[in-house]
Amino acid sequence: MLSEKMQEALNDQINKELWSSYLYLSMSAYFEDRGLPGFANWMKVQAQEEVSHAMKFFNYINDRGGRVILKPIVEVPSEWTDTKAVVEETLNHEKLVSSYINNLVDQAIKEKDHATNNMLQWFVEEQVEEEASVSELLDKVEMTEGKPHVILNIDKELGQRVFVDETKEG
Ligand code: FEO
């Protein structure tokens, strides 16, 4: 049985994951508008991942006999100065999400809620991967500065990304 406090914190995290999805979908639309379909695809897959994260929390709350309460999703930005600004915001956002996950782990440990802590460890690992992949993308984008043709090569590469629901693996 989840404590009231833990249930509320997990419900808040569903909202944060869905907000993240909304943010990345907005970034995808921005890239479509800028004529960068590969970046748009990469962000669309990122948005799909966030929905799968929200669903992992959704299913977990239900499995523990808790009650899912969905809250409104706050508006997301829709304009950025350039490609680098979008990727920088993505990295900063993933770092913020990592801190949210760490706070949830702290709460689970405090409550000796081993099941929730165990479920959250999937997210601890996932956040390491998320930060690493966005950091790698930022490095690539930074290398294109002053070489606009290189961005098209990166765009082509990012167009290959396909969504795999990792919450269903392992
Ligand atoms: Fe759900 Fe990108 O963290």
Side-chain angles (χ1 to χ4, degrees):
M1 188 76 189
L2 293 169
S3 73
E4 276 291 318
K5 193 167 180 181
M6 185 56 79
Q7 176 172 296
E8 202 181 320
L10 295 174
N11 268 309
D12 281 347
Q13 191 61 33
I14 292 179
N15 191 268
K16 288 175 172 123
E17 299 290 348
L18 291 177
W19 190 86
S20 304
S21 178
Y22 216 48
L23 173 68
Y24 295 143
L25 212 46
S26 183
M27 290 173 168
S28 178
Y30 168 84
F31 283 127
E32 285 288 354
D33 190 54
R34 295 274 316 263
L36 290 169
F39 278 87
N41 173 65
W42 196 92
M43 283 297 173
K44 207 183 285 175
V45 172
Q46 193 75 2
Q48 285 175 290
E49 276 198 358
E50 299 305 343
V51 172
S52 75
H53 295 170
M55 288 311 297
K56 191 171 174 79
F57 284 107
F58 183 102
N59 293 333
Y60 178 75
I61 293 172
N62 286 332
D63 286 349
R64 295 291 307 279
R67 177 74 168 93
V68 170
I69 302 287
L70 298 177
K71 295 175 186 165
I73 298 171
V74 175
E75 190 176 0
V76 290
S78 52
E79 289 298 337
W80 288 269
T81 49
D82 54 20
T83 301
K84 188 180 160 193
V86 181
V87 182
E88 275 174 343
E89 183 168 341
T90 303
L91 181 57
N92 287 335
H93 183 64
E94 287 303 331
K95 287 179 180 171
L96 184 63
V97 173
S98 299
S99 75
Y100 294 149
I101 299 295
N102 288 343
N103 290 342
L104 289 171
V105 172
D106 287 346
Q107 183 62 29
I109 290 171
K110 197 169 148 202
E111 294 187 17
K112 297 189 169 57
D113 182 346
H114 299 292
T116 301
N117 185 16
N118 189 45
M119 179 275 296
L120 287 168
Q121 291 309 310
W122 184 89
F123 284 95
V124 171
E125 270 185 49
E126 174 68 10
Q127 284 310 120
V128 172
E129 279 177 36
E130 292 266 279
E131 285 188 37
S133 74
V134 182
S135 192
E136 191 184 315
L137 179 57
L138 183 58
D139 286 346
K140 281 185 189 163
V141 169
E142 280 174 342
M143 283 191 306
T144 69
E145 278 177 318
K147 299 177 234 164
H149 59 284
V150 182
I151 203 98
L152 295 177
N153 290 338
I154 298 174
D155 190 66
K156 207 170 169 186
E157 187 190 317
L158 298 183
Q160 310 295 316
R161 188 182 186 193
V162 288
F163 173 63
V164 177
D165 189 349
E166 289 174 0
T167 66
K168 300 254 183 340
E169 292 176 354

